[in-house]
Amino acid sequence: MSEAGDWEETSPERLYVITGGRSGASVPATLDLVTLIVAKSQPRHGMQPEQAAIIRLCHRPLSVAEISAYIGLPVSVVTVLLSDLLLAEQVIARAPVQPALIPDRALIEAVIDGLQKL
């Protein structure tokens, strides 16, 4: 049996403690791998270390997948932590920028025709 200080970083027990035994989000937020997260403030005193790490990382927008990779926790755990931070209004979640729609073929042909006439 290992000692408490010898927990593996990704042990199920550690992940259970980090999430408080929850497997789902505490707020009805749609967080997927490409959702961008931005911190609204600095970490608070007494905050859970993993949540404080998320806030420090997110001074610029980062996706949920990037946060997971940087702090070395599964996306499911990061989602639980982020939902708590959203509920506490410590971070903002926003959808990534949608790709621009491809212009109509006729418009492209008209532009090309106009350029050729120059």
Side-chain angles (χ1 to χ4, degrees):
M1 195 93 185
S2 68
E3 296 179 26
D6 292 337
W7 270 8
E8 292 181 32
E9 289 297 309
T10 58
S11 72
E13 296 87 2
R14 178 176 178 266
L15 300 177
Y16 182 87
V17 170
I18 290 171
T19 61
R22 294 172 294 140
S23 61
S26 57
V27 293
T30 305
L31 297 173
D32 57 21
L33 294 175
V34 295
T35 301
L36 297 175
I37 306 295
V38 183
K40 289 176 63 176
S41 63
Q42 296 297 318
R44 294 183 314 214
H45 179 70
M47 179 178 271
Q48 187 175 357
E50 293 81 8
Q51 288 180 328
I54 290 171
I55 290 175
R56 281 191 296 274
L57 280 171
C58 293
H59 56 24
R60 284 182 285 183
L62 283 178
S63 70
V64 173
E66 290 172 310
I67 295 167
S68 175
Y70 284 134
I71 65 174
L73 291 173
V75 171
S76 58
V77 173
V78 170
T79 302
V80 171
L81 297 173
L82 286 172
S83 71
D84 292 344
L85 291 170
L86 284 166
L87 188 62
E89 298 183 353
Q90 297 257 296
V91 297
I92 299 170
R94 64 179 192 197
V97 176
Q98 296 294 323
L101 296 175
I102 298 175
D104 182 38
R105 182 179 177 94
L107 175 62
I108 293 174
E109 288 174 354
V111 169
I112 290 172
D113 186 47
L115 290 172
Q116 289 173 343
K117 290 180 180 179
L118 291 176

